[in-house]
Amino acid sequence: MYGIVLLGAPGAGKGTQAVLLSKRLNIPHISSGDLFRENLRNQTPLGELARQYMERGELVPDEVTIAMVRERLSRPDCANGFILDGFPRTIAQADALEVLLKELGKSITLVPWIRVRERMLMERLSHRWTCRDCGAVFSYESLPPREGCKKEVCTGELYRREDDNPEVQAKRIQVYNEQTAPLIDYYRARGLLVEINGEHTIEYVHRLLLQLVLNAHTIHSPASSAV
Ligand code: AP5
Ligand code: MG
């Protein structure tokens, strides 16, 4: 079982790395931000509620977010593991996740913390384009936006996320430093944290991450603990 929680500031590359890892390990990528954006697109009551917080760069209340992730983690495709991206984001969410995983007979095997300096985060967010249909993200280096999405068979329109404007970016980074960064020590104390320099190329970060995940998997697998 792979139980991966990706930690990192807005723009650190959590989503980018989660997509690659999910394909490689064949386990679902669960992004709380993507789930909220899907609800927004479908104009559900949850989407409407989330909008008020997301457009200000604030966190959606814990109870709502925890309930949404609980439902997602309970689905059968999580039987062999999961990659959480953007959840948990507060100590209360992390505590709730621990309880929830115990109920489901699952556990966290690794918490990679993708580190990127603040100046670079803002630069990346300012150049990010997202596909309206499949949610794929691009930087201006990876694809000229006017060509539209080219992920697999998708031809969706690329757009700039509303919360990627400079004021909301700064707020999101502030919220991360105040409410999410304490999770670094939380998971370090549990022996689950590994630190990755997220300023390398996407491919290089992926290789580092994969190596760490596979090593942790070997250590946690029943066969190796019996040795
Ligand atoms: P969410 O969607 O999770 O946004 P975020 O945490 O701010 O993270 P981002 O998606 O902005 O960054 P990322 O790390 O995924 O970077 P990416 O891979 O795209 O949350 C949005 C909002 O939803 C929150 O503000 C909140 O309101 C709400 N929310 C979500 N979860 C919540 C929760 N648990 N509780 C409460 N509220 C919640 O990469 C960024 C750019 O950099 C891309 O253009 C990419 O191509 C590029 N890039 C990536 N890696 C590299 C690299 N190595 N080199 C060069 N470029 C790179
Ligand atoms: Mg993301």
Side-chain angles (χ1 to χ4, degrees):
M1 229 274 317
Y2 295 98
I4 301 161
V5 170
L6 291 180
L7 266 190
K14 302 181 298 296
T16 301
Q17 294 301 328
V19 168
L20 297 172
L21 213 49
S22 163
K23 262 195 199 134
R24 176 66 175 69
L25 301 175
N26 199 23
I27 51 174
H29 163 204
I30 302 175
S31 155
S32 41
D34 286 351
L35 291 173
F36 284 132
R37 279 184 288 277
E38 194 181 308
N39 275 279
L40 268 170
R41 258 199 317 279
N42 297 332
Q43 299 180 335
T44 69
L46 174 60
E48 272 316 304
L49 175 85
R51 180 200 304 280
Q52 305 159 33
Y53 297 92
M54 292 173 83
E55 65 190 15
R56 292 199 297 261
E58 292 168 7
L59 296 184
V60 179
D62 282 341
E63 321 80 76
V64 178
T65 309
I66 292 164
M68 178 179 75
V69 174
R70 166 186 289 271
E71 188 282 322
R72 181 64 189 86
L73 276 172
S74 310
R75 292 195 208 160
D77 65 342
C78 296
N80 294 326
F82 54 85
I83 302 167
L84 283 171
D85 154 15
F87 183 93
R89 248 175 157 99
T90 61
I91 298 281
Q93 290 182 13
D95 286 342
L97 178 64
E98 227 165 62
V99 173
L100 166 63
L101 291 177
K102 202 172 257 174
E103 275 170 32
L104 295 171
K106 302 183 195 301
S107 57
I108 298 173
T109 51
L110 198 70
V111 181
W113 169 32
I114 306 176
R115 277 188 92 154
V116 172
R117 279 169 297 171
E118 200 159 310
R119 185 175 45 81
M120 201 174 272
L121 296 173
M122 311 266 288
E123 203 175 301
R124 285 185 185 178
L125 294 175
S126 303
H127 291 114
R128 172 168 59 189
W129 291 82
T130 305
C131 174
R132 237 182 244 294
D133 293 352
C134 74
V137 296
F138 301 88
S139 66
Y140 72 108
E141 289 154 358
S142 63
L143 191 76
R146 74 179 82 81
E147 290 182 12
C149 186
K150 291 265 164 65
K151 284 276 146 120
E152 293 167 7
V153 293
C154 187
T155 54
E157 180 202 359
L158 300 183
Y159 78 110
R160 298 284 326 281
R161 262 171 57 179
E162 275 162 30
D163 59 350
D164 276 348
N165 72 59
E167 300 83 63
V168 184
Q169 268 176 31
K171 176 70 181 174
R172 284 159 60 207
I173 292 173
Q174 182 201 336
V175 168
Y176 168 81
N177 287 330
E178 290 171 2
Q179 301 194 51
T180 308
L183 293 179
I184 294 164
D185 281 342
Y186 180 99
Y187 286 118
R188 187 181 280 129
R190 285 159 174 74
L192 292 168
L193 194 87
V194 289
E195 204 175 311
I196 292 181
N197 179 352
E199 297 187 5
H200 294 297
T201 63
I202 292 174
E203 266 316 305
Y204 191 75
V205 175
H206 172 62
R207 285 207 298 276
L208 287 175
L209 188 56
L210 183 63
Q211 196 58 54
L212 289 165
V213 166
L214 294 176
N215 287 348
H217 186 63
T218 313
I219 293 165
H220 284 91
S221 69
S224 68
S225 58
V227 176

